Amino acid sequence: MNLAESTVMNAIEHSMSKNCYANIVLAGPIGVGKRSMATGIAKWLNAVTFDKTVSVFSEEDYLKDYYSISLNHFGGKDIDSLGAYSIRSYLDDANSFVNEEYEHVRIPRDLEKEPQKVENIYGLKPKGKVKIFTGPHAIWLLKASKEVEIPNAIYIFMNADLKKCIQRRIQNSIMIPDMPEDDATSWEAYYDYVIAENERYILPQMKMADIVVNIDL
């Protein structure tokens, strides 16, 4: 467990000590490691509670069709802006996720008492006690917009060196422009552009967060 995960988990433990489960909202730059953080929290909670207690809702699942996302002037997809995501669908589904999220559960039949041909029936039960929302704009979408009410929410902003986040995006080929590797001037201009986009759309969420976690990439 790293320091960042420890900080978040201490906040969750505090809420559990008050006999309630916190719901977690993780926001931050693309490439900062939000999904890894969510996975770490889920594994930890499942271990300490001996049960499946965590469900994850990801903004990245609402990224528009590749050809519907605007190109920036570097020829890359402009995925730092809100315009790259299907926001209405995201907000509608987030409300359902909070209020009506269920999973199918197999219920074995007693074949001596119920000698039907079907061996199992399927019921519905609430899925997860803790819900984790992740995404570059998650705090803005779920707190500032006031369209989704999340009980016992802890809003966490994951902060890191933006150049390192962009380098991780390049390593993972996350919708980057097709520029020659040795074109240092163009890449520096691209970094400056992405940093400006983050300052416009993503970094302001730090002021709305309950906790700001600094990530060492």
Side-chain angles (χ1 to χ4, degrees):
M1 183 188 301
N2 59 39
L3 179 60
E5 288 179 346
S6 178
T7 300
V8 174
M9 291 170 188
N10 283 340
I12 298 171
E13 279 189 314
H14 177 73
S15 77
M16 291 169 68
S17 72
K18 304 296 182 183
N19 296 317
C20 68
Y21 276 82
N23 290 306
I24 309 301
V25 179
L26 294 172
I30 296 168
V32 77
K34 296 180 291 298
R35 287 185 189 235
S36 296
M37 173 72 79
T39 300
I41 294 170
K43 286 182 178 178
W44 171 73
L45 273 173
N46 289 338
V48 299
T49 60
F50 304 104
D51 192 13
K52 182 181 179 182
T53 61
V54 184
S55 304
V56 179
F57 186 88
S58 175
E59 181 185 343
E60 283 83 356
D61 292 338
Y62 292 82
L63 198 65
K64 290 179 180 177
D65 176 82
Y66 183 85
Y67 296 102
S68 300
I69 302 173
S70 300
L71 289 174
N72 56 42
H73 54 266
F74 291 92
K77 294 293 183 176
D78 202 0
I79 59 172
D80 298 279
S81 71
L82 283 163
Y85 301 83
S86 301
I87 300 303
R88 185 69 266 156
S89 296
Y90 170 90
L91 292 171
D92 289 344
D93 288 353
N95 266 312
S96 297
F97 182 73
V98 171
N99 299 309
E100 303 172 4
E101 190 207 7
Y102 293 88
E103 66 178 339
H104 289 274
V105 180
R106 190 173 72 172
I107 304 171
R109 284 186 182 274
D110 185 333
L111 296 181
E112 290 183 0
K113 295 180 180 178
E114 299 179 277
Q116 290 100 334
K117 292 182 179 180
V118 179
E119 185 175 347
N120 299 287
I121 60 174
Y122 289 83
L124 292 172
K125 73 173 185 179
K127 182 179 180 183
K129 297 177 182 177
V130 175
K131 293 176 170 57
I132 303 176
F133 297 82
T134 70
H137 314 96
I139 293 177
W140 189 90
L141 289 167
L142 301 173
K143 185 178 185 179
S145 73
K146 302 185 185 301
E147 290 207 38
V148 183
E149 184 177 348
I150 303 174
N152 304 324
I154 301 176
Y155 295 92
I156 300 165
F157 189 87
M158 296 175 62
N159 190 38
D161 183 286
L162 285 173
K163 275 201 171 184
K164 290 183 179 180
C165 290
I166 299 166
Q167 287 167 357
R168 289 183 69 176
R169 288 161 61 168
I170 293 169
Q171 290 168 2
N172 294 314
S173 300
I174 302 177
M175 294 194 184
I176 58 170
D178 184 16
M179 293 190 295
E181 291 185 9
D182 58 355
D183 188 355
T185 302
S186 293
W187 279 111
E188 282 299 321
Y190 176 71
Y191 288 161
D192 290 344
Y193 172 81
V194 175
I195 289 170
E197 289 288 278
N198 273 265
E199 290 174 346
R200 179 181 178 186
Y201 293 108
I202 297 174
L203 298 186
Q205 295 172 106
M206 277 195 282
K207 296 180 180 178
M208 309 174 201
D210 299 316
I211 300 171
V212 175
V213 181
N214 292 312
I215 307 297
D216 184 16
L217 297 178

